[in-house]
Amino acid sequence: MAAQVTDSNFEAEIIESKIPALVDFWAPWCGPCRAMGPVIDELAAEYDGQVRIVKMNVDENPGTPSKYGIRAIPTIILFKDGEVVEQVTGAVSKSSIQDMITKKALG
Amino acid sequence: MSEPKEETLHRVRNYVTKYCAKTGLTTHSMPEVTDAVVAGLANHIDTLGKPLCPCRFYPDKAEEIKSRTWLCPCEDMKKYKYCHCMLFVNEDGMPVTEHLPEGHEGIATYGVTKDPAPEKYNPPK
């Protein structure tokens, strides 16, 4: 199960992370977010120790999505060394996220 | 976040049924996808007075309502038959993207997906 991050620990957990980090920005009543949730959980287990894969509830944490200009959700952002290296929106496939991680985070 | 009223849920479900018939689209094969969006729309009706799309982040929901852009059916739905929220999808469970303009994020995410009922595509003039 992917951990949840908040506005208050985003800096420490993601920006200062020693390994790449992927954040799923979601909301409880968003249909495609419901579809993506299990995929993100699977990826968190698969990449454990290599990529920090977490979720952020935008309804409870408005500061971070505002900072990153998020509008449609789910939005998935991949960070490396505290910088955004890739961003996708919508119910994307698991393989496309794996490709993104391989090319942009682990490559 | 409070649960929506049962009567509001009923209203939204009726709306979804009628809008599917009007557009020739269907709801998602995963009931939890549809249930989440219906509950989100109902919650926004109960709390904000309008069916604001629950699949977007708004820094200020009350301000967002004034523009009407993301009130269901949203501008993307009315103009392009595209529902990012996956409330109205084709038979493959995909949002329709074939009417979207080049460069729209829906094409980048889903590729070009077909409208199963193009005869029911009536964008505003």
Side-chain angles (χ1 to χ4, degrees), chain A residues 29-30, chain B residues 1-16 34-55 61 65 70-72 85 87:
Chain A
W29 284 330
C30 154
Chain B
M1 203 176 278
S2 59
E3 290 298 314
K5 295 175 189 167
E6 191 54 45
E7 65 180 89
T8 316
L9 285 169
H10 183 69
R11 271 175 56 198
V12 175
R13 288 190 193 109
N14 279 345
Y15 153 72
V16 170
T34 306
D35 290 348
V37 181
V38 166
L41 288 170
N43 175 268
H44 279 161
I45 291 171
D46 287 346
T47 57
L48 303 167
K50 299 288 181 186
L52 188 65
C53 176
C55 300
K61 289 184 180 182
I65 283 170
W70 300 111
L71 300 187
C72 189
C85 219
L87 182 57

Side-chain angles (χ1 to χ4, degrees), chain B residues 4 9 12 20 27-28 31 36 38-39 43 45-46 48-49 53 55 65 73 76 80 86 96-98 102 106 116 125:
Chain B
L9 285 169
V12 175
C20 281
T27 53
H28 200 277
V38 166
N43 175 268
I45 291 171
D46 287 346
L48 303 167
C53 176
C55 300
I65 283 170
D76 271 359
Y80 310 121
M86 300 173 88
V96 171
T97 64
E98 72 165 292
E102 206 172 314
K125 299 271 187 307

Side-chain angles (χ1 to χ4, degrees), chain B residues 19 23 25 69-70 73-84 88 94-107 112-118 120-125:
Chain B
Y19 203 76
T23 57
L25 299 177
T69 302
W70 300 111
C74 68
E75 291 295 312
D76 271 359
M77 189 69 208
K78 288 186 281 195
K79 284 184 184 170
Y80 310 121
K81 226 171 156 176
Y82 172 70
C83 178
H84 157 79
F88 305 111
M94 301 294 284
V96 171
T97 64
E98 72 165 292
H99 307 300
L100 289 173
E102 206 172 314
H104 191 287
E105 71 182 16
I107 295 175
V112 177
T113 58
K114 286 288 179 190
D115 179 356
K120 293 184 175 181
Y121 174 51
N122 298 301
K125 299 271 187 307

Side-chain angles (χ1 to χ4, degrees), chain A residues 27-32 34-35 58-59 62 65-66 70-74 89-92, chain B residues 1-4 33 36-37 39-40 43 54-57 59 61 84-86 105 109-110:
Chain A
W29 284 330
C30 154
R34 292 288 179 106
V58 300
D59 284 346
S66 293
I70 287 166
R71 291 294 176 263
I73 50 172
T89 298
V92 294
Chain B
M1 203 176 278
S2 59
E3 290 298 314
V33 171
V37 181
N43 175 268
C55 300
R56 297 188 68 83
F57 169 70
K61 289 184 180 182
H84 157 79
C85 219
M86 300 173 88
E105 71 182 16
T109 302
Y110 301 107

